[in-house]
Amino acid sequence: MSASRSTGSALGKVIAGFLLAGLGYRLSFFSLALLPIVACFFLLFLPRAEKFGTKKRQSLSTSLRTGGMNGLYISGALRQMGTSGAASLIFVYMATLGIPVGIMGTINAIGATTSTLGVLVFGRLSDLVGRKVIFAFGFGISALAPLIFAFSRGGWGIALGYFVLGMSFSSLYAGSTSYIGDRTPMERQGTMFGLFNSSRGIGGVIGPLIAGALTPLVGFRSMLLIMAGIAFLGFLTVLARTERGNGGHT
Protein backbone atom coordinates (compact mmCIF):
# COMPACT_ATOMS: atom_id res chain seq x y z
CA MET A 1 0.00 0.00 0.00
CA SER A 2 2.80 2.40 0.86
CA ALA A 3 4.50 1.57 -2.45
CA SER A 4 1.33 2.43 -4.36
CA ARG A 5 1.13 5.81 -2.59
CA SER A 6 4.76 6.57 -3.39
CA THR A 7 4.22 5.53 -7.01
CA GLY A 8 1.26 7.88 -7.24
CA SER A 9 3.32 10.69 -5.75
CA ALA A 10 6.13 10.21 -8.27
CA LEU A 11 3.80 9.85 -11.27
CA GLY A 12 1.72 12.83 -10.13
CA LYS A 13 4.75 15.11 -10.13
CA VAL A 14 5.72 13.98 -13.62
CA ILE A 15 2.18 14.21 -15.04
CA ALA A 16 1.62 17.62 -13.44
CA GLY A 17 4.63 19.01 -15.26
CA PHE A 18 3.36 17.90 -18.66
CA LEU A 19 -0.18 19.10 -17.90
CA LEU A 20 1.08 22.50 -16.86
CA ALA A 21 3.13 22.87 -20.03
CA GLY A 22 0.21 21.85 -22.25
CA LEU A 23 -2.89 23.13 -20.49
CA GLY A 24 -1.88 25.92 -18.12
CA TYR A 25 -2.63 26.23 -14.41
CA ARG A 26 -6.44 26.15 -14.33
CA LEU A 27 -6.99 23.13 -16.57
CA SER A 28 -4.06 21.33 -14.94
CA PHE A 29 -5.59 21.71 -11.47
CA PHE A 30 -8.98 20.61 -12.82
CA SER A 31 -7.49 17.51 -14.46
CA LEU A 32 -5.62 16.52 -11.30
CA ALA A 33 -8.78 17.06 -9.21
CA LEU A 34 -10.51 14.36 -11.26
CA LEU A 35 -8.06 11.67 -10.13
CA PRO A 36 -9.25 11.47 -6.49
CA ILE A 37 -12.84 11.34 -7.79
CA VAL A 38 -11.95 8.35 -9.97
CA ALA A 39 -10.23 6.75 -6.96
CA CYS A 40 -13.51 6.92 -5.00
CA PHE A 41 -15.13 4.70 -7.63
CA PHE A 42 -12.74 1.85 -6.84
CA LEU A 43 -13.64 2.02 -3.15
CA LEU A 44 -17.06 0.66 -4.03
CA PHE A 45 -15.45 -2.71 -4.77
CA LEU A 46 -13.89 -3.07 -1.32
CA PRO A 47 -15.53 -5.73 0.90
CA ARG A 48 -17.25 -4.65 4.08
CA ALA A 49 -15.04 -4.73 7.17
CA GLU A 50 -15.75 -7.46 9.69
CA LYS A 51 -17.11 -6.38 13.05
CA PHE A 52 -14.73 -6.46 15.98
CA GLY A 53 -15.15 -8.88 18.84
CA THR A 54 -17.26 -8.18 21.90
CA LYS A 55 -14.36 -8.25 24.36
CA LYS A 56 -13.56 -5.15 26.38
CA ARG A 57 -11.83 -2.49 24.33
CA GLN A 58 -8.32 -1.48 25.32
CA SER A 59 -8.19 2.11 26.56
CA LEU A 60 -6.29 4.68 24.51
CA SER A 61 -3.85 5.38 27.36
CA THR A 62 -3.05 1.66 27.62
CA SER A 63 -2.54 1.45 23.86
CA LEU A 64 -0.13 4.37 23.97
CA ARG A 65 1.93 2.78 26.75
CA THR A 66 2.04 -0.66 25.11
CA GLY A 67 5.39 -1.37 23.50
CA GLY A 68 6.61 2.21 23.82
CA MET A 69 4.08 3.50 21.30
CA ASN A 70 4.21 7.02 22.73
CA GLY A 71 7.98 7.06 22.14
CA LEU A 72 7.41 6.13 18.50
CA TYR A 73 4.97 9.01 18.05
CA ILE A 74 7.31 11.56 19.67
CA SER A 75 10.14 10.31 17.48
CA GLY A 76 7.97 10.55 14.39
CA ALA A 77 7.18 14.19 15.16
CA LEU A 78 10.84 15.07 15.77
CA ARG A 79 11.99 13.33 12.62
CA GLN A 80 9.37 15.08 10.53
CA MET A 81 10.30 18.44 12.04
CA GLY A 82 13.88 17.95 10.90
CA THR A 83 13.23 16.62 7.41
CA SER A 84 10.25 18.84 6.57
CA GLY A 85 12.07 21.89 7.89
CA ALA A 86 15.06 21.10 5.67
CA ALA A 87 12.90 20.35 2.62
CA SER A 88 10.68 23.43 3.04
CA LEU A 89 13.40 25.80 1.79
CA ILE A 90 15.39 23.37 -0.33
CA PHE A 91 14.28 24.89 -3.64
CA VAL A 92 15.41 28.34 -2.52
CA TYR A 93 18.67 26.76 -1.37
CA MET A 94 19.12 25.03 -4.73
CA ALA A 95 18.58 28.38 -6.45
CA THR A 96 21.40 29.89 -4.39
CA LEU A 97 23.63 27.04 -5.57
CA GLY A 98 22.81 27.85 -9.20
CA ILE A 99 20.96 24.60 -9.93
CA PRO A 100 18.71 24.98 -13.04
CA VAL A 101 14.94 24.88 -12.52
CA GLY A 102 14.55 21.86 -14.81
CA ILE A 103 17.01 19.85 -12.72
CA MET A 104 15.21 20.79 -9.50
CA GLY A 105 12.05 18.91 -10.52
CA THR A 106 14.02 15.77 -11.38
CA ILE A 107 15.86 15.91 -8.07
CA ASN A 108 12.56 16.28 -6.19
CA ALA A 109 11.20 13.11 -7.80
CA ILE A 110 14.15 11.02 -6.58
CA GLY A 111 12.77 10.81 -3.03
CA ALA A 112 9.36 9.50 -4.14
CA THR A 113 10.93 7.02 -6.59
CA THR A 114 13.26 5.69 -3.90
CA SER A 115 10.34 5.36 -1.47
CA THR A 116 8.35 3.33 -4.01
CA LEU A 117 11.01 0.64 -4.19
CA GLY A 118 12.13 1.02 -0.59
CA VAL A 119 8.83 0.23 1.10
CA LEU A 120 8.63 -3.06 -0.78
CA VAL A 121 12.14 -4.05 0.29
CA PHE A 122 11.94 -2.78 3.87
CA GLY A 123 8.46 -4.18 4.37
CA ARG A 124 9.83 -7.63 3.61
CA LEU A 125 12.92 -7.05 5.75
CA SER A 126 10.78 -6.00 8.72
CA ASP A 127 9.20 -9.47 8.60
CA LEU A 128 12.62 -11.13 8.53
CA VAL A 129 14.84 -9.17 10.90
CA GLY A 130 12.36 -7.39 13.17
CA ARG A 131 10.45 -4.12 13.16
CA LYS A 132 12.74 -2.03 15.36
CA VAL A 133 15.85 -2.74 13.33
CA ILE A 134 14.13 -1.39 10.22
CA PHE A 135 12.45 1.70 11.64
CA ALA A 136 15.52 2.58 13.75
CA PHE A 137 17.59 2.50 10.56
CA GLY A 138 15.09 4.87 8.95
CA PHE A 139 15.11 7.29 11.85
CA GLY A 140 18.91 7.18 11.96
CA ILE A 141 19.58 8.02 8.30
CA SER A 142 16.88 10.74 8.40
CA ALA A 143 19.43 12.95 10.15
CA LEU A 144 21.90 12.42 7.29
CA ALA A 145 19.69 14.04 4.64
CA PRO A 146 19.85 17.62 6.05
CA LEU A 147 23.60 17.12 6.65
CA ILE A 148 24.11 16.17 3.02
CA PHE A 149 22.04 19.18 1.92
CA ALA A 150 24.12 21.47 4.13
CA PHE A 151 27.45 20.47 2.58
CA SER A 152 26.26 20.09 -1.02
CA ARG A 153 27.76 22.29 -3.71
CA GLY A 154 25.57 21.27 -6.63
CA GLY A 155 22.79 19.08 -7.94
CA TRP A 156 24.48 15.75 -7.29
CA GLY A 157 24.74 16.43 -3.56
CA ILE A 158 21.09 17.47 -3.29
CA ALA A 159 20.08 14.39 -5.32
CA LEU A 160 21.99 12.17 -2.87
CA GLY A 161 20.18 13.87 0.01
CA TYR A 162 16.81 13.12 -1.59
CA PHE A 163 17.84 9.51 -2.15
CA VAL A 164 18.68 9.17 1.54
CA LEU A 165 15.41 10.91 2.43
CA GLY A 166 13.45 8.39 0.34
CA MET A 167 15.29 5.50 1.99
CA SER A 168 14.66 6.90 5.45
CA PHE A 169 10.92 7.33 4.90
CA SER A 170 10.38 3.90 3.36
CA SER A 171 12.26 2.06 6.11
CA LEU A 172 10.81 3.96 9.08
CA TYR A 173 7.26 3.83 7.70
CA ALA A 174 7.35 0.13 6.81
CA GLY A 175 8.86 -0.77 10.18
CA SER A 176 6.74 1.61 12.27
CA THR A 177 3.36 0.65 10.83
CA SER A 178 4.19 -3.05 11.23
CA TYR A 179 5.30 -2.37 14.80
CA ILE A 180 2.01 -0.60 15.57
CA GLY A 181 0.01 -3.43 14.00
CA ASP A 182 1.85 -6.04 16.09
CA ARG A 183 1.18 -4.28 19.40
CA THR A 184 -2.31 -2.86 18.92
CA PRO A 185 -5.64 -4.74 19.20
CA MET A 186 -7.65 -4.78 15.98
CA GLU A 187 -10.30 -2.41 17.35
CA ARG A 188 -7.63 0.21 18.16
CA GLN A 189 -5.50 -0.02 15.02
CA GLY A 190 -7.31 2.75 13.12
CA THR A 191 -6.79 5.13 16.04
CA MET A 192 -3.14 4.24 16.52
CA PHE A 193 -2.26 4.49 12.85
CA GLY A 194 -4.07 7.82 12.74
CA LEU A 195 -2.12 9.10 15.74
CA PHE A 196 1.16 8.07 14.12
CA ASN A 197 0.40 10.01 10.95
CA SER A 198 -0.93 12.94 13.00
CA SER A 199 2.30 13.10 15.00
CA ARG A 200 4.24 13.22 11.75
CA GLY A 201 1.85 15.88 10.46
CA ILE A 202 2.45 18.05 13.53
CA GLY A 203 6.18 17.79 12.95
CA GLY A 204 5.61 18.68 9.31
CA VAL A 205 3.91 21.91 10.37
CA ILE A 206 6.36 22.96 13.09
CA GLY A 207 9.55 22.11 11.17
CA PRO A 208 9.07 24.58 8.29
CA LEU A 209 8.09 27.31 10.75
CA ILE A 210 11.34 26.80 12.67
CA ALA A 211 13.37 26.64 9.45
CA GLY A 212 11.80 29.82 8.14
CA ALA A 213 12.52 31.67 11.37
CA LEU A 214 16.11 30.43 11.62
CA THR A 215 17.32 30.94 8.05
CA PRO A 216 17.34 34.78 8.08
CA LEU A 217 19.24 34.67 11.37
CA VAL A 218 21.82 31.93 10.82
CA GLY A 219 21.78 31.15 7.09
CA PHE A 220 20.88 28.02 5.13
CA ARG A 221 23.76 25.80 6.23
CA SER A 222 23.31 26.41 9.96
CA MET A 223 19.55 25.94 9.61
CA LEU A 224 20.10 22.58 7.90
CA LEU A 225 22.52 21.51 10.62
CA ILE A 226 19.93 22.36 13.29
CA MET A 227 17.29 20.37 11.37
CA ALA A 228 19.71 17.43 11.28
CA GLY A 229 20.10 17.72 15.06
CA ILE A 230 16.33 17.63 15.59
CA ALA A 231 16.00 14.54 13.38
CA PHE A 232 18.88 12.88 15.28
CA LEU A 233 17.06 13.58 18.55
CA GLY A 234 14.14 11.63 17.12
CA PHE A 235 16.51 8.73 16.40
CA LEU A 236 17.79 8.72 19.99
CA THR A 237 14.23 8.84 21.32
CA VAL A 238 13.07 5.90 19.24
CA LEU A 239 16.06 3.82 20.40
CA ALA A 240 15.35 4.53 24.04
CA ARG A 241 11.54 4.49 24.09
CA THR A 242 10.56 1.49 21.95
CA GLU A 243 10.87 -2.26 22.41
CA ARG A 244 12.62 -4.74 20.18
CA GLY A 245 10.49 -7.36 18.43
CA ASN A 246 11.24 -10.19 16.02
CA GLY A 247 9.22 -10.05 12.83
CA GLY A 248 5.54 -10.26 13.54
CA HIS A 249 6.03 -11.51 17.12
CA THR A 250 5.82 -9.15 20.09
Side-chain angles (χ1 to χ4, degrees):
M1 188 183 73
S2 297
S4 70
R5 291 174 61 242
S6 297
T7 301
S9 178
L11 289 176
K13 292 173 182 177
V14 174
I15 293 171
F18 286 106
L19 288 175
L20 182 60
L23 302 177
Y25 285 107
R26 181 170 296 179
L27 287 178
S28 296
F29 287 139
F30 179 77
S31 300
L32 293 171
L34 292 176
L35 295 177
I37 296 174
V38 174
C40 291
F41 171 75
F42 290 96
L43 297 180
L44 299 175
F45 296 97
L46 290 176
R48 288 181 175 272
E50 296 182 4
K51 292 183 178 180
F52 302 126
T54 57
K55 64 180 181 180
K56 184 179 179 181
R57 290 171 62 90
Q58 187 182 74
S59 68
L60 180 58
S61 60
T62 300
S63 297
L64 285 171
R65 291 193 302 269
T66 301
M69 213 74 72
N70 52 2
L72 183 64
Y73 296 156
I74 294 170
S75 302
L78 289 170
R79 182 265 178 188
Q80 203 65 30
M81 284 173 60
T83 57
S84 294
S88 65
L89 296 175
I90 197 65
F91 286 98
V92 182
Y93 182 57
M94 283 194 281
T96 66
L97 297 177
I99 299 174
V101 174
I103 301 298
M104 291 182 187
T106 303
I107 291 175
N108 187 39
I110 291 175
T113 304
T114 305
S115 296
T116 301
L117 300 174
V119 289
L120 296 173
V121 174
F122 288 115
R124 176 59 178 158
L125 286 175
S126 72
D127 292 334
L128 296 176
V129 303
R131 315 310 195 189
K132 185 168 183 175
V133 172
I134 299 303
F135 67 67
F137 171 76
F139 278 101
I141 65 173
S142 292
L144 294 179
L147 281 178
I148 295 171
F149 291 153
F151 293 101
S152 295
R153 290 293 179 267
W156 287 108
I158 303 296
L160 176 61
Y162 266 101
F163 174 78
V164 172
L165 201 58
M167 289 279 287
S168 71
F169 170 77
S170 58
S171 54
L172 79 85
Y173 199 79
S176 296
T177 51
S178 301
Y179 183 85
I180 294 170
D182 290 344
R183 288 162 172 75
T184 306
M186 184 68 70
E187 70 274 9
R188 277 291 182 194
Q189 287 191 358
T191 300
M192 304 310 287
F193 285 130
L195 284 172
F196 178 61
N197 285 298
S198 294
S199 69
R200 294 178 59 248
I202 291 171
V205 172
I206 297 175
L209 294 176
I210 296 175
L214 286 174
T215 302
L217 300 176
V218 300
F220 282 107
R221 175 173 292 181
S222 295
M223 178 274 291
L224 290 169
L225 293 176
I226 293 172
M227 292 299 106
I230 294 174
F232 186 69
L233 181 60
F235 170 62
L236 295 179
T237 303
V238 86
L239 285 181
R241 297 289 299 275
T242 56
E243 298 175 356
R244 183 179 179 86
N246 296 316
H249 304 287
T250 57

